[in-house]
Amino acid sequence: MVGVVEGEVERPMKQVTQNYKSGELRVLEVPAPTCRPGGVLVRSLYSLISTGTEMMKVSEARMSLVGKARARPDQVRKLVDSVSRQGVRSTYAKAMSRLDSFTPLGYSLSGIVTEVGAGVDEFKVGQLVACAGNEHALHAEVNWVPVNLCVPVPDGVEPRLAAFATVGAIAMHGVRRAEPQIGDVACVVGLGLVGQLVVQLLVAAGVRVVGLDVVEARCRLAERSGAMACEVPDTEGIDRLERAIGRVTSGRGVDHVLLVAGGLSNGPVEVAARLARDRARVVDIGKLKLDLPWNAYYDKELDVRFSRSYGPGRYDEVYELDGVDYPAGYVRWTERRNLECFVDLLAGGKLAVEALVSEDFPVADAPDVYGRLHSGDLEGIGFLFRYPDPDVSPGAMSWRTVARDPDHRPQKATAGGGVKVGFIGAGNYASSMLLPHLAGRTDVELSLVATATSLSAANAQRRFGFRHASTDVESVLGDDSIDAVFIVTRHHTHAALTCRALESGKAVFVEKPLAIDDEELSVIAATVTATGNDRLMVGFNRRFSPSLGEFRSRIGSGPAGSVVRYTVNAGALDAGSWYRNVELEGSRFVGEGGHFIDTLSWLVGATPTVVHATGTPDRSDLHVVLSHEDGSMSSIDYLTHGNPRTPKEVVEVAAGTLSARFENFRRTSVWSGRRPSTHRVRGAVDKGQRAQLDHFLGSVRSGSPMPIPLGSLMHTTAATLAVERSLAAGRPVEL
């Protein structure tokens, strides 16, 4: 669809995607990414299809739910733990939210720089580059790529060959892990795309190479690239290869075995032990079964190594996203230097990558191409998607970042008019806990969603019915028709976005935390004063939970001097969780603790005046004591260790002769006489998300006060931040 907006042509870009739940492959029209600091916008020329990694993902997505569970037992364990703490319905909703989304494909491309972000001086518009990364070098017309995942392509290198750079870096890192020397003999097991590049790199390094692959044509291709002998791994083939190895090694065996195969067979591991010499190196580059035969590996004292993707820096956000390089004196070959080395070898004519190119296809044909690859109709090694040549003349790349849904039908508003809502951020929490309660309502119009990535915006638009999707937060903040802005982004962005939304005159719903330090909280307070806009809500949803509300009504307000204890079994974080980036996002308690302090203040009916926190040496487990203005005392035990299947949240109250216990939004017990009165909640766990949205939207629509007074929001946030000060000082902190 083409339209004219402020003199610019509206041009949503094409991106190859797959729905992991259904397995459907589709080329979607999505909003183009914006150019962020620390990276460049790249208009794709060619992107490489990984016939290994990508086809494994495509095959997984086409499995039944049972098949997916068998393929990812690690995720199944997480679901089981979540069911015991969150309930079946909530866990199912979250799981389906993640599954029923279009996910990106691709991680290796070449293209032209069309815009350079702030802080980047090594690239210029119009430059040919090679790019890497399964979140950045996607099968899409335009990608934002951080500097450490992007390298200039030397003159004379064809763009379609430069698109092999990421796979080349994977092969190169595997070769480096083997530490070959001139004259060594190496066996490459698996002669697919990466295996072929491993062969060429080893030959270029002066290593004599033999190989194994189940496809005869791949064996012959590797021999044309310089391998001495390659065989199909049947009994006769392995015998022939063993004799050939014996002739060139005087019977010692190969110095290195590089495993570049995949699948569930243990054959590659077993043949590696057979062909290797004493104390040889075995390097796992692919993804295959590794059931090491102990006697064979012990007898030869084989050195087993793993090769992790493109090289050092991979999976390190500080390196990849923040652009902080490793000094060459400490880490000689990072993933970016491997990319640079590969394209330099291409420029010098040291690699015959042209022989690996089987065919290229228009990106619009992606679903058919993947289908043919999956069925085996396409035979070959290297397949590419090609994109139209970009016009990078000034003003030519005026991509508008807002994509309209051509199938959108305006929602019917109430007589008073529906509240027009804009979302900044639409990650897992927003998609599973907020947006399902807003979609389809007649009193709400989901006007615009803006996210950091094109596909997350498109997914939110498709699933929840947003009128527009964007990758630019300014499209939300600058839209005067929007009544309320939801900020559901990473913690370090909350305060700045809240201030800007307040300055735009909108009502603001921001997920916790409101701020991650005292300075940010002061700036928010100053913004409210300067603008006169106090229409602010923080997502402290627990006080709106029906079961917790019923619990509060049963215990009453309690006399002054009540004692409340809140035990939170928060559990361990995943290794790659962004919560671990404490310097950027604040501590884990700063991010989550406001929930519990708000709930305690609401239960007691009085704000805290003194905070005293103690913790384990690494501050992973905390004990926080709050003194309230009415003389009540409350405490929070925030625990990250313990059994993940125990209840996540337990509240215990002692007030006069009354004692009460609230367990994980499911069960309440109150002792006020001889026998306890127990109530069990039926149905799904309800932590109050829907009710808090009802109250917030009602306030926006009517102009009535926000559901939680501004003073309470600020005081709760101040108390949460005071926990960090108390831990640092080792003493109580007065508010």
Side-chain angles (χ1 to χ4, degrees), residues 251-282:
R252 291 187 302 271
V254 299
D255 302 292
H256 316 279
V257 181
L258 296 98
L259 303 175
V260 203
L264 300 176
S265 170
N266 206 48
V269 171
E270 294 168 2
V271 78
R274 176 175 172 178
L275 301 179
R277 67 161 168 81
D278 188 57
R279 293 177 176 82
R281 295 190 183 98
V282 179

Side-chain angles (χ1 to χ4, degrees), residues 54 66 188 267 345 390 723:
E54 284 187 61
V66 173
V188 180
L345 289 172
V723 169

Side-chain angles (χ1 to χ4, degrees), residues 285-331:
I285 303 174
K287 184 178 181 182
L288 74 167
K289 185 177 181 180
L290 282 176
D291 186 4
L292 302 180
W294 188 87
N295 284 334
Y297 275 69
Y298 174 83
D299 288 345
K300 290 187 176 181
E301 200 175 359
L302 297 180
D303 181 358
V304 180
R305 299 182 175 186
F306 289 84
S307 177
R308 187 172 66 183
S309 200
Y310 333 143
R314 191 70 183 109
Y315 310 114
D316 179 354
E317 287 194 359
V318 175
Y319 176 89
E320 292 191 334
L321 297 182
D322 298 342
V324 179
D325 199 3
Y326 304 146
Y330 292 91
V331 184

Side-chain angles (χ1 to χ4, degrees), residues 22 76 127 212 359 404 416 610 672 684 691 698 735:
S22 66
V76 174
Q127 189 172 21
L212 286 166
E359 198 170 350
R404 289 191 172 91
V610 179
S672 58
L735 300 176

